[in-house]
Amino acid sequence: MKRREQSQTEQLKQALAERDAQLQEARTRLAAVEDSTSLQVGRALTAAAKRPGRSLVRLPRDLYRLWRRSGTTQHVQRRRPGAEPVRSFDADRQEARLLSGMAGNSEDLLVVATVVGSAVQDAVSPYLHSVPLRPHDAQIVMDGVDVDLVLVSASAAAAGSPWAHVGDPAAADRTRALHWVLESAAARGIPTVLLEDAPAPPALRELGFDRVHRGDAGVPLHLFNPVAADLTPGPKAVFVRETPDAPVPEVLTELEAGVVDADSPGLADALRAANVAVVPAFPADDTRLSRRAWACGAGVITHSPVPHAANPHAEALAVSVPRMRAERVTPSAMRLRLRKVFLQEATPVRLAEILGDLDFPPGTPGSELPLRGRSVAVLADPAGEAEADLLASDLMGAVLRPTEVVVPHSASRLPGIQRLRAEGITVRTVRFSAPDTPEELTRNTPGAPVPRVGGLGPDRWAALAERATAPWAHLWNGPLSPTRLADLVCAVECSDADAVGASAGDGHGPGSPLDGAGDLGFFDRPDTGAPQYVFVSEVVPELARTRLLRRGWNPDEWNRRGTRLLALGPDNGPAGPDADDEDAVYNSTDASTGAVG
């Protein structure tokens, strides 16, 4: 295999290894010379010549002893320097990043040298460890940092950016600096990607990228989400204009609709505050604005501006906007669309798609890292074969499958658990000395029972969580709809909460009178006003950080210990809507949102 050019850090390490090998060889040769009979005979003759009196008398005896030992002397032979011990690429990678001050980041995130616009930078920051390059220090940074990828976006060439007009003949110095970065990456085996999230300058595509992706970095759900949308004040309708000079339809001015630019930092807040968003209809294949609006809980109306006064769409806007403002997007459709964005167009999904099949250096984790934050371990204690079969059916039919399942050792031989193993789901087991006792069900407050979820108390959660390797853990507690796990993981990706579940103070949690009502969830109950995608003080946990469960705390104490708890109501039905209906709601804006144009 052809050896790739090494970075400055790797070159220094190689030079140090070569010096160590030379020093070891010199020591070996010196030991061989000192142990040789010739050197010892020479020393004896030299001593006799310097002191002829006593030394000449002892010389025959010394020579005789040397002769007697010469047959048994084990001469140290000169050995060729053997091959250096094989070191894994990951060990070299970790060492290089320790020297460059990035220890701890390489395990969880790809280290990426970025030349991107501000919107792309904000979108990828939770999923990639970004090392921004600037024209004046690109060479220094590339030489001093071991990166896995070079990511460039066309929006970086926008006016006001450090790389403004890169790829344009008028900015030859910046184009030359970026070309050097790509050549250096190619020499070191580092893949390079161009995101065409804006019209690319003429020479940018010609610089030699390994992959050119038409589009942006997906929908960043940590920015565009419905969290606390009902608490955000603002107009009920908002017009999203693609450029600051785009005309605002007069009918929207009359309806007192808000106006926000597509690249404004306040776009997410404006979409959360409104329940109707009017977005440009062209280009027809660009759905980034409508998907961001849906993720924020707003209905979408596409609008085709007409330059002359006789605008045929003005009358349609005058009808459709008030109608949608009055009707609002149904909570069922809102959660369905958010789930679809989460599964198909969210930033980690888009990054995994972009990075797929790229030729990363050996040992680099690669394209699966952006999605690693969605890994879920299911903690369960099935009481028998029936519950184990139900657990297997729930998990194998889930839209988002878990990474692993952790069960007590006594349940590991149940047929349902064996089915999970056969389906490729990792099953881990924990040995318990005894089942829960009444004494174990009280903690910190004598006489008060500790809440139990999934048939387990906090101590047993902690024992099961210790065996889990995924960052998130789901506490299985009976039947689970196919979309529930996806909705829970989507909720934590939107909010960065530590735990999510039904609000414990609203009377809708497990064991409540409404538990298992099935047909209607919180969104569809006009008489409850239960919190939805809102941080609360107490939840019945369904999904929590694994490291939080390992502490074995009582869930009633989580809020007082500084955890962030998000309320999410039950599904709209035990099985959820049909897949065909979901696709229809998601893909047909005319049917589901009353879009015009």
Side-chain angles (χ1 to χ4, degrees):
M1 185 177 70
K2 187 177 180 180
R3 188 177 183 181
R4 66 183 178 91
E5 180 181 337
Q6 297 171 318
S7 65
Q8 182 181 7
T9 302
E10 293 168 333
Q11 291 174 6
L12 292 174
K13 288 165 53 183
Q14 183 66 25
L16 180 60
E18 292 175 358
R19 298 297 184 274
D20 289 341
Q22 293 174 3
L23 179 60
Q24 183 63 30
E25 181 182 0
R27 288 174 176 171
T28 302
R29 295 178 63 181
L30 178 60
V33 170
E34 290 180 344
D35 291 342
S36 66
T37 304
S38 300
L39 179 63
Q40 295 181 27
V41 169
R43 285 176 175 173
L45 293 175
T46 302
K50 288 182 178 180
R51 297 181 179 180
R54 178 178 295 183
S55 297
L56 284 175
V57 175
R58 294 190 306 181
L59 179 61
R61 184 189 62 185
D62 293 340
L63 293 177
Y64 176 74
R65 288 177 177 174
L66 291 174
W67 174 76
R68 289 290 301 271
R69 289 187 306 183
S70 62
T72 59
T73 301
Q74 296 180 354
H75 298 283
V76 180
Q77 298 179 353
R78 177 184 177 185
R79 287 178 283 180
R80 293 183 179 181
E84 295 182 12
V86 178
R87 301 182 64 192
S88 68
F89 182 87
D90 189 60
D92 289 337
R93 184 169 172 262
Q94 296 284 355
E95 185 173 323
R97 294 185 175 179
L98 180 63
L99 294 174
S100 62
M102 292 194 302
N105 293 308
S106 57
E107 296 182 0
D108 303 322
L109 302 174
L110 286 173
V111 179
V112 180
T114 56
V115 179
V116 297
S118 58
V120 175
Q121 184 68 55
D122 294 340
V124 304
S125 58
Y127 313 107
L128 303 173
H129 181 78
S130 177
V131 181
L133 302 180
R134 291 171 289 272
H136 65 278
D137 66 359
Q139 183 172 356
I140 299 173
V141 173
M142 284 296 291
D143 280 342
V145 178
D146 182 24
V147 299
D148 302 316
L149 176 74
V150 175
L151 180 65
V152 180
S153 73
S155 57
S161 167
W163 292 90
H165 309 294
V166 62
D168 193 287
D173 56 338
R174 295 168 186 168
T175 305
R176 186 163 50 249
L178 182 57
H179 183 60
W180 182 93
V181 169
L182 299 181
E183 283 188 336
S184 175
R188 294 160 56 181
I190 299 172
T192 56
V193 175
L194 172 64
L195 294 180
E196 277 194 320
D197 58 337
L204 190 57
R205 291 178 59 102
E206 307 302 326
L207 291 181
F209 292 91
D210 295 325
R211 175 162 298 172
V212 177
H213 174 78
R214 184 179 179 185
D216 60 359
V219 180
L221 291 179
H222 63 285
L223 300 177
F224 295 89
N225 54 65
V227 176
D230 56 343
L231 304 179
T232 306
K236 291 186 177 181
V238 63
F239 176 68
V240 183
R241 54 186 181 186
E242 203 164 12
T243 58
D245 56 350
V248 180
E250 294 184 3
V251 63
L252 295 181
T253 304
E254 296 173 358
L255 293 174
E256 299 181 350
V259 179
V260 63
D261 295 335
D263 58 353
S264 169
L267 176 61
D269 290 333
L271 293 175
R272 268 191 290 268
N275 64 333
V276 178
V278 181
V279 302
F282 297 105
D285 59 345
D286 188 357
T287 59
R288 69 185 75 181
L289 289 176
S290 61
R291 299 306 186 251
R292 282 161 170 74
W294 282 354
C296 292
V300 176
I301 297 178
T302 56
H303 171 62
S304 303
V306 177
H308 53 79
N311 189 337
H313 300 291
E315 183 177 353
L317 283 176
V319 174
S320 58
V321 172
R323 175 172 58 84
M324 286 192 65
R325 286 200 311 184
E327 294 178 355
R328 298 180 60 91
V329 178
T330 64
S332 306
M334 191 277 287
R335 185 181 289 190
L336 185 151
R337 293 169 185 165
L338 179 61
R339 183 189 312 136
K340 283 287 189 174
V341 172
F342 167 76
L343 293 173
Q344 298 180 9
E345 299 186 49
T347 296
V349 177
R350 184 68 54 80
L351 288 176
E353 173 189 338
I354 293 171
L355 303 182
D357 300 328
L358 282 179
D359 188 16
F360 285 95
T364 307
S367 59
E368 71 273 11
L369 272 183
L371 289 172
R372 186 171 294 179
R374 294 184 174 185
S375 300
V376 178
V378 174
L379 312 183
D381 184 15
E385 292 187 5
E387 284 196 7
D389 289 339
L390 180 59
L391 171 65
S393 300
D394 285 350
L395 300 187
M396 288 190 295
V399 172
L400 180 68
R401 280 198 175 188
T403 305
E404 57 190 358
V405 177
V406 186
V407 296
H409 183 75
S410 58
S412 60
R413 297 185 180 276
L414 295 175
I417 306 302
Q418 297 297 331
R419 284 172 54 198
L420 292 175
R421 283 198 178 98
E423 288 291 325
I425 299 177
T426 302
V427 177
R428 306 183 190 278
T429 61
V430 177
R431 291 183 180 272
F432 291 114
S433 58
D436 281 341
T437 62
E439 291 77 13
E440 291 175 334
L441 300 182
T442 59
R443 188 179 182 87
N444 297 337
T445 306
V450 174
R452 294 164 56 83
V453 177
L456 303 174
D459 292 336
R460 291 209 163 193
W461 298 348
L464 293 176
E466 284 291 342
R467 286 283 290 146
T469 61
W472 296 98
H474 169 68
L475 305 171
W476 185 77
N477 185 28
L480 190 71
S481 73
T483 59
R484 185 60 177 177
L485 200 56
D487 288 343
L488 292 170
V489 179
C490 176
V492 295
E493 188 169 308
C494 288
S495 62
D496 194 31
D498 297 309
V500 60
S503 178
D506 52 28
H508 292 70
S512 69
L514 294 178
D515 181 26
D519 293 337
L520 297 176
F522 287 178
F523 280 133
D524 300 324
R525 293 184 184 277
D527 57 332
T528 60
Q532 227 13 257
Y533 292 101
V534 176
F535 287 102
V536 293
S537 60
E538 187 178 354
V539 295
V540 178
E542 296 180 61
L543 186 75
R545 296 188 190 274
T546 305
R547 65 175 184 266
L548 174 62
L549 292 175
R550 287 172 183 161
R551 297 179 179 272
W553 291 339
N554 185 335
D556 293 340
E557 304 170 359
W558 285 3
N559 181 60
R560 288 181 287 167
R561 293 181 182 270
T563 57
R564 293 157 54 86
L565 309 178
L566 189 77
L568 183 69
D571 296 323
N572 294 331
D578 295 335
D580 294 340
D581 294 337
E582 290 190 9
D583 293 337
V585 172
Y586 183 69
N587 295 319
S588 176
T589 55
D590 288 332
S592 61
T593 64
V596 296

